[in-house]
PDB file of all heavy atoms in Angstrom:
ATOM      1  N   ARG A 305      74.358 -12.949 -22.691  1.00 97.00           N
ATOM      2  CA  ARG A 305      75.375 -12.837 -21.631  1.00 97.00           C
ATOM      3  C   ARG A 305      75.304 -11.462 -20.990  1.00 97.00           C
ATOM      4  O   ARG A 305      75.372 -11.324 -19.765  1.00 97.00           O
ATOM      5  CB  ARG A 305      76.782 -13.063 -22.197  1.00 97.00           C
ATOM      6  CG  ARG A 305      77.018 -14.442 -22.810  1.00 97.00           C
ATOM      7  CD  ARG A 305      78.352 -14.467 -23.541  1.00 97.00           C
ATOM      8  NE  ARG A 305      78.526 -15.646 -24.364  1.00 97.00           N
ATOM      9  CZ  ARG A 305      78.015 -15.798 -25.579  1.00 97.00           C
ATOM     10  NH1 ARG A 305      77.262 -14.833 -26.112  1.00 97.00           N
ATOM     11  NH2 ARG A 305      78.220 -16.906 -26.264  1.00 97.00           N
ATOM     12  N   LEU A 308      72.209 -11.084 -18.809  1.00 98.00           N
ATOM     13  CA  LEU A 308      72.353 -11.709 -17.495  1.00 98.00           C
ATOM     14  C   LEU A 308      73.246 -10.863 -16.596  1.00 98.00           C
ATOM     15  O   LEU A 308      72.934 -10.644 -15.426  1.00 98.00           O
ATOM     16  CB  LEU A 308      72.920 -13.124 -17.623  1.00 98.00           C
ATOM     17  CG  LEU A 308      73.077 -13.872 -16.288  1.00 98.00           C
ATOM     18  CD1 LEU A 308      71.718 -14.030 -15.593  1.00 98.00           C
ATOM     19  CD2 LEU A 308      73.737 -15.231 -16.495  1.00 98.00           C
ATOM     20  N   GLY A 366      73.450 -21.834 -26.844  1.00 96.00           N
ATOM     21  CA  GLY A 366      74.822 -22.304 -26.720  1.00 96.00           C
ATOM     22  C   GLY A 366      75.740 -21.334 -25.999  1.00 96.00           C
ATOM     23  O   GLY A 366      76.956 -21.535 -25.961  1.00 96.00           O
ATOM     24  N   ALA A 367      75.156 -20.291 -25.401  1.00 97.00           N
ATOM     25  CA  ALA A 367      75.965 -19.303 -24.682  1.00 97.00           C
ATOM     26  C   ALA A 367      76.257 -19.748 -23.253  1.00 97.00           C
ATOM     27  O   ALA A 367      77.281 -19.359 -22.669  1.00 97.00           O
ATOM     28  CB  ALA A 367      75.244 -17.956 -24.660  1.00 97.00           C
ATOM     29  N   PHE A 368      75.353 -20.561 -22.665  1.00 98.00           N
ATOM     30  CA  PHE A 368      75.515 -21.062 -21.304  1.00 98.00           C
ATOM     31  C   PHE A 368      75.518 -22.584 -21.323  1.00 98.00           C
ATOM     32  O   PHE A 368      74.940 -23.211 -22.211  1.00 98.00           O
ATOM     33  CB  PHE A 368      74.380 -20.588 -20.390  1.00 98.00           C
ATOM     34  CG  PHE A 368      74.201 -19.095 -20.318  1.00 98.00           C
ATOM     35  CD1 PHE A 368      72.938 -18.559 -20.055  1.00 98.00           C
ATOM     36  CD2 PHE A 368      75.271 -18.224 -20.494  1.00 98.00           C
ATOM     37  CE1 PHE A 368      72.749 -17.185 -19.991  1.00 98.00           C
ATOM     38  CE2 PHE A 368      75.099 -16.849 -20.429  1.00 98.00           C
ATOM     39  CZ  PHE A 368      73.832 -16.331 -20.172  1.00 98.00           C
ATOM     40  N   ASP A 369      76.135 -23.157 -20.314  1.00 97.00           N
ATOM     41  CA  ASP A 369      76.161 -24.610 -20.186  1.00 97.00           C
ATOM     42  C   ASP A 369      75.761 -24.950 -18.751  1.00 97.00           C
ATOM     43  O   ASP A 369      76.587 -24.927 -17.836  1.00 97.00           O
ATOM     44  CB  ASP A 369      77.558 -25.145 -20.501  1.00 97.00           C
ATOM     45  CG  ASP A 369      77.634 -26.663 -20.397  1.00 97.00           C
ATOM     46  OD1 ASP A 369      76.570 -27.308 -20.359  1.00 97.00           O
ATOM     47  OD2 ASP A 369      78.759 -27.191 -20.317  1.00 97.00           O
ATOM     48  N   VAL A 370      74.467 -25.213 -18.534  1.00 96.00           N
ATOM     49  CA  VAL A 370      73.956 -25.492 -17.196  1.00 96.00           C
ATOM     50  C   VAL A 370      73.109 -26.757 -17.219  1.00 96.00           C
ATOM     51  O   VAL A 370      72.433 -27.050 -18.203  1.00 96.00           O
ATOM     52  CB  VAL A 370      73.101 -24.325 -16.655  1.00 96.00           C
ATOM     53  CG1 VAL A 370      73.958 -23.111 -16.369  1.00 96.00           C
ATOM     54  CG2 VAL A 370      71.984 -23.969 -17.620  1.00 96.00           C
ATOM     55  N   ASP A 408      80.388 -11.148 -12.796  1.00 97.00           N
ATOM     56  CA  ASP A 408      81.373 -12.158 -13.205  1.00 97.00           C
ATOM     57  C   ASP A 408      81.045 -13.516 -12.605  1.00 97.00           C
ATOM     58  O   ASP A 408      81.107 -14.558 -13.283  1.00 97.00           O
ATOM     59  CB  ASP A 408      82.780 -11.739 -12.754  1.00 97.00           C
ATOM     60  CG  ASP A 408      83.389 -10.669 -13.646  1.00 97.00           C
ATOM     61  OD1 ASP A 408      82.896 -10.472 -14.766  1.00 97.00           O
ATOM     62  OD2 ASP A 408      84.364 -10.032 -13.206  1.00 97.00           O
ATOM     63  N   ALA A 410      78.159 -14.666 -11.578  1.00 98.00           N
ATOM     64  CA  ALA A 410      76.951 -15.226 -12.188  1.00 98.00           C
ATOM     65  C   ALA A 410      77.259 -15.875 -13.534  1.00 98.00           C
ATOM     66  O   ALA A 410      76.736 -16.953 -13.850  1.00 98.00           O
ATOM     67  CB  ALA A 410      75.901 -14.135 -12.353  1.00 98.00           C
ATOM     68  N   LEU A 411      78.111 -15.246 -14.319  1.00 97.00           N
ATOM     69  CA  LEU A 411      78.475 -15.828 -15.614  1.00 97.00           C
ATOM     70  C   LEU A 411      79.246 -17.131 -15.435  1.00 97.00           C
ATOM     71  O   LEU A 411      79.141 -18.040 -16.261  1.00 97.00           O
ATOM     72  CB  LEU A 411      79.287 -14.813 -16.423  1.00 97.00           C
ATOM     73  CG  LEU A 411      78.496 -13.599 -16.920  1.00 97.00           C
ATOM     74  CD1 LEU A 411      79.419 -12.593 -17.598  1.00 97.00           C
ATOM     75  CD2 LEU A 411      77.379 -14.021 -17.873  1.00 97.00           C
ATOM     76  N   ARG A 412      80.002 -17.229 -14.352  1.00 97.00           N
ATOM     77  CA  ARG A 412      80.687 -18.502 -14.065  1.00 97.00           C
ATOM     78  C   ARG A 412      79.701 -19.576 -13.652  1.00 97.00           C
ATOM     79  O   ARG A 412      79.855 -20.748 -13.999  1.00 97.00           O
ATOM     80  CB  ARG A 412      81.739 -18.297 -12.977  1.00 97.00           C
ATOM     81  CG  ARG A 412      82.902 -17.403 -13.391  1.00 97.00           C
ATOM     82  CD  ARG A 412      84.025 -17.454 -12.360  1.00 97.00           C
ATOM     83  NE  ARG A 412      85.035 -16.443 -12.636  1.00 97.00           N
ATOM     84  CZ  ARG A 412      85.174 -15.320 -11.960  1.00 97.00           C
ATOM     85  NH1 ARG A 412      84.350 -15.048 -10.948  1.00 97.00           N
ATOM     86  NH2 ARG A 412      86.110 -14.452 -12.259  1.00 97.00           N
ATOM     87  N   ILE A 413      78.677 -19.191 -12.887  1.00 97.00           N
ATOM     88  CA  ILE A 413      77.671 -20.162 -12.450  1.00 97.00           C
ATOM     89  C   ILE A 413      77.001 -20.822 -13.656  1.00 97.00           C
ATOM     90  O   ILE A 413      76.707 -22.028 -13.626  1.00 97.00           O
ATOM     91  CB  ILE A 413      76.618 -19.471 -11.548  1.00 97.00           C
ATOM     92  CG1 ILE A 413      77.250 -19.142 -10.186  1.00 97.00           C
ATOM     93  CG2 ILE A 413      75.375 -20.347 -11.368  1.00 97.00           C
ATOM     94  CD1 ILE A 413      76.332 -18.359  -9.258  1.00 97.00           C
ATOM     95  N   VAL A 414      76.751 -20.050 -14.701  1.00 98.00           N
ATOM     96  CA  VAL A 414      76.072 -20.621 -15.877  1.00 98.00           C
ATOM     97  C   VAL A 414      77.075 -21.115 -16.921  1.00 98.00           C
ATOM     98  O   VAL A 414      76.690 -21.499 -18.028  1.00 98.00           O
ATOM     99  CB  VAL A 414      75.114 -19.591 -16.510  1.00 98.00           C
ATOM    100  CG1 VAL A 414      74.014 -19.216 -15.553  1.00 98.00           C
ATOM    101  CG2 VAL A 414      75.870 -18.364 -17.014  1.00 98.00           C
ATOM    102  N   ASN A 415      78.373 -21.101 -16.551  1.00 97.00           N
ATOM    103  CA  ASN A 415      79.411 -21.531 -17.494  1.00 97.00           C
ATOM    104  C   ASN A 415      79.278 -20.815 -18.830  1.00 97.00           C
ATOM    105  O   ASN A 415      79.204 -21.432 -19.896  1.00 97.00           O
ATOM    106  CB  ASN A 415      79.341 -23.062 -17.704  1.00 97.00           C
ATOM    107  CG  ASN A 415      79.726 -23.839 -16.471  1.00 97.00           C
ATOM    108  OD1 ASN A 415      80.765 -23.560 -15.850  1.00 97.00           O
ATOM    109  ND2 ASN A 415      78.900 -24.800 -16.085  1.00 97.00           N
ATOM    110  N   ALA A 416      79.232 -19.491 -18.749  1.00 96.00           N
ATOM    111  CA  ALA A 416      79.083 -18.690 -19.966  1.00 96.00           C
ATOM    112  C   ALA A 416      80.281 -18.874 -20.884  1.00 96.00           C
ATOM    113  O   ALA A 416      81.421 -18.839 -20.446  1.00 96.00           O
ATOM    114  CB  ALA A 416      78.916 -17.212 -19.599  1.00 96.00           C
ATOM    115  N   ARG A 417      79.991 -19.070 -22.144  1.00 91.00           N
ATOM    116  CA  ARG A 417      81.059 -19.232 -23.141  1.00 91.00           C
ATOM    117  C   ARG A 417      81.374 -17.876 -23.763  1.00 91.00           C
ATOM    118  O   ARG A 417      80.474 -17.037 -23.904  1.00 91.00           O
ATOM    119  CB  ARG A 417      80.609 -20.221 -24.220  1.00 91.00           C
ATOM    120  CG  ARG A 417      80.412 -21.637 -23.651  1.00 91.00           C
ATOM    121  CD  ARG A 417      79.720 -22.555 -24.602  1.00 91.00           C
ATOM    122  NE  ARG A 417      79.593 -23.895 -24.044  1.00 91.00           N
ATOM    123  CZ  ARG A 417      78.854 -24.869 -24.553  1.00 91.00           C
ATOM    124  NH1 ARG A 417      78.146 -24.618 -25.655  1.00 91.00           N
ATOM    125  NH2 ARG A 417      78.799 -26.048 -23.986  1.00 91.00           N
ATOM    126  N   PRO A 418      82.620 -17.660 -24.134  1.00 84.00           N
ATOM    127  CA  PRO A 418      82.982 -16.374 -24.742  1.00 84.00           C
ATOM    128  C   PRO A 418      82.141 -16.108 -25.979  1.00 84.00           C
ATOM    129  O   PRO A 418      81.845 -17.023 -26.754  1.00 84.00           O
ATOM    130  CB  PRO A 418      84.456 -16.541 -25.087  1.00 84.00           C
ATOM    131  CG  PRO A 418      84.928 -17.651 -24.188  1.00 84.00           C
ATOM    132  CD  PRO A 418      83.761 -18.579 -24.024  1.00 84.00           C
ATOM    133  N   SER A 419      81.769 -14.856 -26.156  1.00 75.00           N
ATOM    134  CA  SER A 419      80.999 -14.512 -27.350  1.00 75.00           C
ATOM    135  C   SER A 419      81.898 -14.602 -28.581  1.00 75.00           C
ATOM    136  O   SER A 419      83.102 -14.383 -28.506  1.00 75.00           O
ATOM    137  CB  SER A 419      80.426 -13.087 -27.218  1.00 75.00           C
ATOM    138  OG  SER A 419      81.467 -12.171 -26.974  1.00 75.00           O
TER     139      SER A 419
END
Side-chain angles (χ1 to χ4, degrees):
R305 298 170 191 81
L308 181 61
F368 304 151
D369 181 15
V370 291
D408 282 343
L411 290 175
R412 294 190 189 104
I413 288 175
V414 297
N415 292 311
R417 295 169 178 169
S419 56

